[in-house]
Amino acid sequence: MEKKNLDWANMGFGYRKTDKRFVSTFKDNKWDEGALIEDDMITMSECACVLQYAQTCFEGLKAYTTADGRIVCFRPDLNAQRMFDTCARLEMPQYPVDKFVEAVVKTVKANEAYVPPYGSGATLYIRPYMFGINPVIGVKPADEYQFRIFTTPVGPYFKGGAKPITIRVSDFDRAAPRGTGNVKAGLNYAMSLHAIVSAHREGFDENLYLDPATRTKVEETGGANFLFISKDNKVVTPKSDSILPSITRRSLMYVAENYLGLEVEQREVYLDELTDFAECCLCGTAAVLSPVGKIVDHGREICFPSGMEKMGTITQKLYDTLTGIQMGTIEAPKGWICEIK
Ligand code: PLP
Ligand code: COI
């Protein structure tokens, strides 16, 4: 298989159409077998449930070329399970976990020529998604759905790659208590668009959302969870019912404890205590580990001692170990790596 001739090293996080995508239809209460197709366009009723009532959810994972030339993806079973949980919350039909993983493998295999080479700094982003497609005018769930997967080669989510970013404390909330913050519903991202546009306009890279009930605790950003490193090297991550259970964060907490021998803690993190931490980073599939140099809370600057030039020492160790596992240079825990054959 010959790779596409793309400028892998200078890719941003953008959409580029690849050759094949997977589509499965839910009708008469069952999923069909699904197939790989070439057409990237979707035709639907003007009254499709997704268009009127935003009944849609998605997932995000990546495929990597390993140092020894294999193509792998990272913990796709956890994305499958998270979408299964999201669908239950959104009254959507659940796509079986094993079928989801099979479909990811098939789609990546069909777009192998777009998986960026090892060491290029780019990866193949995989986007599974589902939406209600039949016309619905009274507010109720759709009866017909499509589950789809497309892939697109991507570079770093934040411009500048591993350079520390600056984020601001948002005046907007991301998720209501007992709302949908803990699932990957499209609506969570729709409501974040105004906040991200205004953050960018004011020169910030992202928003830090607070817990909506008390606005005293750190939740997450629009597309990643937080990790904080204490001055005695403990890895701390916020605990909340309204943040997305990041697969990267769960993996990093395991890596911190079992590969790096660090103490880890998942607990409520107060905005007031951020000045006590030595390092801060965002973690997620798209963000990987993005160091945060500064958090601005209405003019008050919280500057982490790791600074604005490079990643903190522990953040760097976590980054190296996680990406080493993903790229096959460090042995992975059992079941974490799914080879595309
Ligand atoms: N939080 C939000 C709101 C996200 O959109 C994402 C991205 O999927 C994450 C966290 C990170 O999750 P994961 O590590 O599973 O990609
Ligand atoms: C991901 O990391 O896969 C996401 O879905 C986050 C999104 C903001 C790109």
Side-chain angles (χ1 to χ4, degrees), residues 214-228:
T214 72
R215 297 191 58 78
T216 57
K217 291 175 271 185
V218 175
E219 295 250 289
E220 60 176 326
T221 67
N225 281 182
F226 275 103
L227 292 184
F228 298 97

Side-chain angles (χ1 to χ4, degrees), residues 13-316:
F13 195 87
Y15 173 74
R16 179 189 296 266
K17 182 181 154 188
T18 57
D19 295 343
K20 299 275 175 68
R21 63 271 310 118
F22 180 83
V23 187
S24 175
T25 299
F26 183 87
K27 206 173 175 172
D28 302 328
N29 271 318
K30 55 180 190 304
W31 288 106
D32 69 8
E33 266 309 294
L36 289 168
I37 62 163
E38 279 175 17
D39 190 358
D40 59 319
M41 292 297 171
I42 302 173
T43 304
M44 66 179 80
S45 162
E46 61 189 356
C47 200
C49 195
V50 61
L51 297 181
Q52 302 308 325
Y53 302 126
Q55 197 187 20
T56 180
C57 64
F58 70 100
E59 273 301 325
L61 68 161
K62 282 175 171 172
Y64 310 83
T65 303
T66 60
D68 60 0
R70 291 170 299 128
I71 294 178
V72 300
C73 56
F74 186 68
R75 311 190 79 179
D77 51 321
L78 297 192
N79 294 94
Q81 185 61 50
R82 193 168 61 189
M83 184 176 255
F84 201 82
D85 299 340
T86 298
C87 287
R89 178 66 177 79
L90 300 180
E91 290 296 334
M92 298 172 79
Q94 289 159 308
Y95 199 77
V97 167
D98 55 338
K99 293 266 186 209
F100 177 113
V101 174
E102 259 174 47
V104 165
V105 170
K106 272 190 202 158
T107 315
V108 174
K109 180 88 194 139
N111 294 294
E112 220 177 324
Y114 293 90
V115 185
Y118 175 74
S120 65
T123 49
L124 187 74
Y125 187 68
I126 306 163
R127 174 52 65 89
Y129 60 113
M130 193 194 291
F131 52 92
I133 195 165
N134 64 293
V136 166
I137 193 72
V139 177
K140 64 171 184 147
D143 307 305
E144 292 172 21
Y145 294 83
Q146 284 192 7
F147 167 71
R148 287 180 168 249
I149 306 177
F150 69 76
T151 61
T152 184
V154 295
Y157 190 67
F158 294 105
K159 284 196 291 288
K163 268 270 194 197
I165 58 170
T166 301
I167 61 186
R168 68 154 186 201
V169 175
S170 175
D171 283 331
F172 302 100
D173 291 329
R174 176 179 176 275
R178 297 170 291 280
T180 56
N182 61 339
V183 298
K184 217 162 159 55
L187 63 94
N188 293 340
Y189 300 81
M191 58 54 59
S192 77
L193 298 176
H194 179 58
I196 194 71
V197 168
S198 59
H200 286 164
R201 199 186 301 128
E202 290 168 31
F204 301 103
D205 296 293
E206 249 292 7
N207 286 295
L208 180 160
Y209 292 104
L210 295 172
D211 74 295
T214 72
R215 297 191 58 78
T216 57
K217 291 175 271 185
V218 175
E219 295 250 289
E220 60 176 326
T221 67
N225 281 182
F226 275 103
L227 292 184
F228 298 97
I229 316 295
S230 69
K231 288 183 176 138
D232 57 356
N233 292 345
K234 192 187 286 176
V235 182
V236 179
T237 195
K239 185 182 167 87
S240 158
D241 290 339
S242 48
I243 68 180
L244 193 77
S246 158
I247 294 160
T248 315
R249 183 253 297 162
R250 285 180 269 162
S251 305
L252 284 165
M253 295 302 268
Y254 183 89
V255 162
E257 194 168 18
N258 297 283
Y259 282 62
L260 303 176
L262 299 170
E263 213 180 310
V264 297
E265 197 170 49
Q266 187 177 12
R267 62 162 169 86
E268 294 179 324
V269 174
Y270 287 84
L271 182 60
D272 276 354
E273 61 171 308
L274 295 191
T275 45
D276 295 341
F277 290 111
E279 299 175 32
C280 170
C281 66
L282 304 183
C283 63
T285 298
V288 194
L289 259 88
S290 300
V292 176
K294 198 196 287 184
I295 295 176
V296 181
D297 176 20
H298 302 91
R300 181 175 70 103
E301 295 197 342
I302 302 161
C303 299
F304 294 99
S306 50
M308 293 303 295
E309 283 311 307
K310 55 178 179 43
M311 280 193 193
T313 322
I314 300 293
T315 304
Q316 185 74 55

